[in-house]
Amino acid sequence: MSLYSVYVAFCFVALLLVLAYTGWLIYIHTSPFHVAVNRIPGPKYFPIVGNALEIAGGLDHLLHTFQIKWAQKYGGIYRIFIGTRCFIPISSPELMEVILSSQKTIDKGTSYSELIPWLGQGLLISSGDLWRSRRKLLTPAFHFSILNTFVEVFNEQSRVLCGIIGDICQSFADGKSEMDVYPFLAKCSLDVICEVAMGTKINAQTDDSDYYKAVCRMGQVMITKFQKPWLENQRIFSLSALGKEHDQLLKTLHGFTEDIIRKRRKSFIYVSNNNEKNESGIKNRLPLLDLLLQASDDGKFLSDLDIRNEIDTFMFEGHDTVSSLMGWFLYCMAINPDCQENAWTELSGVFDNSERDCTQEDIPNLKYLECCIKETLRMYPSVPAFERTVQEDVQIGKYLIPAGCTLGCLTLATHRNPEVFPDPLVFNPERFFADEANGRHPYAYFPFSAGPRNCIGQRFALLELKIILSSLIRRFKFEFSSDAELLIPSHQITLKSLTGINLIVSRRCNQ
Ligand code: HEM
């Protein structure tokens, strides 16, 4: 090929590119969709990639760009494109109210599709009438009177957790040990939710549990997949080593739940007929699975697959969120020793320095602890963001959001708004004292989401958290090494530290 023909080919390609770019510019300035979304402030975007290059990188970078950099630069609502998909992240309490209180914007966003192979059309993902009927069916399972029956499980698993951490501390001459507390918390919350949802003990804290390993690994696989956009293509993914591992993990996870459902169905029929203790010997404590089995009417209303999807959803939602919060809570206590001492003093008063269980009657007396939990959820919300799909055009504030956009509810950015929470990076539980919180916009703080699609497990989670965290703070002191770097939060399905939660733990000397 002569130099001249290379030159002609180059000019031709350049001309094509210029024409394509001009066509694209005309399109984004005239199509009603783009005209509508371009009224919303946001960074300049490019054909094909949109703004994807700006968020490429680590998961901490992703969180920072969405929730801090862009939210601070463009304000309470902005617009970006990831590829050709339009995202509208929101952190203004007034606009959040419009979205979360509406019955129209209740469908989940595209990111949830990663969870479908595992959770199917369980409560977190389903939409429309299916979601409405399941929500109605499952709501009674979280009634106050039922939650009471789980207090024993929370205490039992807290005792196991404290025993394990206590033994590690004791194995050191000075009774102090530096450890990543996160895996211990994760195993504890998984033991709790397994017993509550399925009526089965997996003893993740004390034994080697394949189910625990599969749950943890599945989370990592989903994050790795998210970081490699070329694996979005289902064919490429299923041929990759990661895709094969994903399928194997699914088999383990689904196989475990299916096995329990099968066994429980048999013992459930036995319990219904005999009205006696159930298989596990526990009286009056009905796991969520029994409620579903009852409602299924032998497969007429809910198939075994429907039940599996709901149980897997509870396992997923009820474990990762709780362990994320517990990790950040202990970190906040460690770097704010005054707050830890206040919490400990409150607990010493309530429990008189004994090691007795925490009861429902104690809960209203744990006011300062509750404020510390709320403040942790403000600074480090377990679910830092969630999505809604716009199915039909909707007016949000002064903007018309066309169908097809994805709304991003930025919990972390909203919770760190200095106009609502002055000095947002300072951990201050007093923000949640009744007189301080009075008059705050109801949608300025929503760690459990809000409106019709809020977290069904909110009261369950708070009760569990108060019992486990009070047990830990009563017995142990948590410190942060003076030469360690502060932890960096990252969006890994839930909010997690990039480097674990390494703390120095010692037993309280009065025990
Ligand atoms: C610290 C603990 C928790 C936090 C911060 C939390 C937060 C949330 C948030 C923000 C949502 C909305 C997600 C979205 O719209 O995509 C949600 C939904 C949900 N949560 Fe939780 N959650 C927690 C614990 C739990 C527990 C313990 C359970 C079960 C026992 C649970 C079950 C669910 C379910 C089933 C949904 C879907 C509800 C629906 O769409 O109707 N969560 N949670």
Side-chain angles (χ1 to χ4, degrees):
M1 209 192 247
S2 71
L3 206 59
Y4 177 72
S5 40
V6 171
Y7 174 73
V8 170
F10 175 79
C11 289
F12 183 67
V13 171
L15 184 69
L16 276 185
L17 285 177
V18 170
L19 283 175
Y21 186 66
T22 314
W24 179 77
L25 281 179
I26 294 171
Y27 171 67
I28 65 162
H29 283 102
T30 53
S31 89
F33 181 91
H34 282 88
V35 169
V37 297
N38 286 341
R39 289 202 184 103
I40 306 169
K44 203 170 164 209
Y45 54 98
F46 300 94
I48 304 172
V49 289
N51 302 101
L53 298 179
E54 286 169 85
I55 52 167
L59 293 163
D60 53 329
H61 173 69
L62 180 82
L63 185 90
H64 185 269
T65 311
F66 264 94
Q67 306 250 11
I68 297 168
K69 188 177 135 188
W70 282 336
Q72 282 176 0
K73 186 163 180 192
Y74 301 108
I77 177 167
Y78 64 91
R79 171 269 307 136
I80 55 153
F81 279 84
I82 312 249
T84 53
R85 255 186 264 144
C86 182
F87 283 79
I88 318 275
I90 290 172
S91 58
S92 139
E94 290 75 23
L95 303 183
M96 201 64 76
E97 181 166 14
V98 178
I99 299 163
L100 296 184
S101 62
S102 161
Q103 287 285 351
K104 277 190 180 164
T105 43
I106 59 168
D107 291 343
K108 298 300 174 82
T110 41
S111 306
Y112 296 73
S113 58
E114 293 302 321
L115 293 167
I116 292 178
W118 181 11
L119 310 182
Q121 291 301 314
L123 195 64
L124 178 70
I125 293 169
S126 59
S127 55
D129 289 344
L130 177 64
W131 169 75
R132 259 178 270 277
S133 66
R134 293 286 164 78
R135 178 86 191 199
K136 204 167 154 200
L137 174 79
L138 290 164
T139 297
F142 291 91
H143 188 269
F144 191 69
S145 59
I146 300 209
L147 293 188
N148 267 343
T149 68
F150 297 133
V151 168
E152 198 184 321
V153 180
F154 301 152
N155 273 302
E156 193 186 328
Q157 296 303 339
S158 304
R159 276 197 302 274
V160 176
L161 174 66
C162 292
I164 292 169
I165 294 183
D167 285 350
I168 298 176
C169 292
Q170 244 168 12
S171 64
F172 287 83
D174 59 356
K176 253 185 190 189
S177 168
E178 180 154 11
M179 60 180 101
D180 178 3
V181 290
Y182 188 78
F184 300 113
L185 303 172
K187 288 179 188 174
C188 177
S189 65
L190 194 68
D191 272 344
V192 166
I193 196 70
C194 255
E195 197 162 340
V196 167
M198 303 197 253
T200 301
K201 284 183 191 293
I202 56 161
N203 300 323
Q205 296 199 80
T206 48
D207 302 343
D208 210 19
S209 157
D210 285 341
Y211 185 73
Y212 170 74
K213 282 191 219 149
V215 169
C216 293
R217 187 63 198 139
M218 189 56 139
Q220 289 161 356
V221 166
M222 285 193 289
I223 293 157
T224 313
K225 184 181 176 203
F226 174 77
Q227 288 176 303
K228 299 181 174 172
W230 59 93
L231 293 180
E232 248 193 56
N233 180 301
Q234 200 43 44
R235 271 178 169 226
I236 299 178
F237 182 61
S238 54
L239 290 174
S240 68
L242 200 69
K244 290 196 177 115
E245 187 185 0
H246 176 266
D247 292 349
Q248 204 49 48
L249 291 168
L250 265 189
K251 261 192 204 154
T252 308
L253 295 170
H254 285 158
F256 180 81
T257 321
E258 281 160 9
D259 193 41
I260 304 250
I261 295 173
R262 230 183 350 263
K263 288 188 187 143
R264 194 83 199 174
R265 198 182 269 292
K266 274 195 209 142
S267 78
F268 179 73
I269 294 166
Y270 171 77
V271 177
S272 315
N273 292 342
N274 295 279
N275 196 22
E276 281 177 7
K277 283 182 184 180
N278 60 30
E279 208 180 39
S280 55
I282 300 162
K283 232 180 176 176
N284 299 328
R285 187 197 303 153
L286 286 185
L288 303 174
L289 177 53
D290 286 5
L291 182 93
L292 291 164
L293 287 171
Q294 205 168 14
S296 82
D297 198 6
D298 224 7
K300 252 185 258 159
F301 297 111
L302 291 174
S303 67
D304 275 5
L305 177 64
D306 295 331
I307 297 179
R308 190 191 79 191
N309 288 339
E310 297 304 347
I311 292 295
D312 284 343
T313 298
F314 282 125
M315 296 304 299
F316 168 77
E317 270 292 317
H319 141 253
D320 213 25
T321 50
V322 170
S323 31
S324 156
L325 182 275
M326 292 201 291
W328 289 112
F329 174 92
L330 295 181
Y331 170 65
C332 289
M333 291 289 100
I335 58 173
N336 297 282
D338 291 353
C339 298
Q340 185 173 177
E341 278 319 292
N342 289 344
W344 182 77
T345 308
E346 176 182 82
L347 294 171
S348 302
V350 173
F351 294 97
D352 205 13
N353 291 329
S354 77
E355 292 219 357
R356 72 168 172 82
D357 279 357
C358 178
T359 64
Q360 268 284 11
E361 289 68 48
D362 294 320
I363 297 293
N365 300 323
L366 309 183
K367 290 204 167 58
Y368 189 79
L369 183 85
E370 178 174 299
C371 292
C372 291
I373 293 174
K374 287 182 172 167
E375 177 66 344
T376 309
L377 279 167
R378 180 189 71 78
M379 289 185 75
Y380 301 101
S382 308
V383 183
F386 49 91
E387 290 175 2
R388 297 281 189 273
T389 295
V390 180
Q391 301 288 12
E392 48 186 274
D393 296 2
V394 56
Q395 186 74 32
I396 295 184
K398 58 182 180 181
Y399 301 112
L400 180 79
I401 313 287
C405 290
T406 300
L407 300 169
C409 303
L410 301 184
T411 314
L412 188 136
T414 315
H415 287 185
R416 293 184 180 200
N417 177 349
E419 281 168 26
V420 183
F421 298 103
D423 296 324
L425 299 183
V426 173
F427 182 84
N428 176 12
E430 294 184 14
R431 297 181 203 272
F432 292 96
F433 285 8
D435 46 347
E436 281 277 324
N438 249 345
R440 195 174 286 151
H441 193 287
Y443 287 78
Y445 179 76
F446 53 95
F448 294 95
S449 181
R453 275 211 99 149
N454 71 348
C455 173
I456 199 171
Q458 171 169 352
R459 282 193 302 178
F460 175 97
L462 285 172
L463 186 60
E464 176 182 0
L465 288 165
K466 283 175 195 167
I467 293 181
I468 300 179
L469 294 174
S470 67
S471 303
L472 286 167
I473 296 292
R474 277 158 73 189
R475 291 169 177 80
F476 301 102
K477 187 170 180 175
F478 296 88
E479 291 164 279
F480 194 65
S481 172
S482 52
D483 50 12
E485 301 262 319
L486 290 180
L487 300 185
I488 301 171
S490 63
H491 196 162
Q492 304 183 36
I493 306 178
T494 55
L495 194 75
K496 296 203 181 80
S497 150
L498 279 180
T499 48
I501 310 265
N502 283 298
L503 303 177
I504 302 162
V505 190
S506 54
R507 255 197 169 276
R508 290 273 179 185
C509 46
N510 59 331
Q511 300 293 317

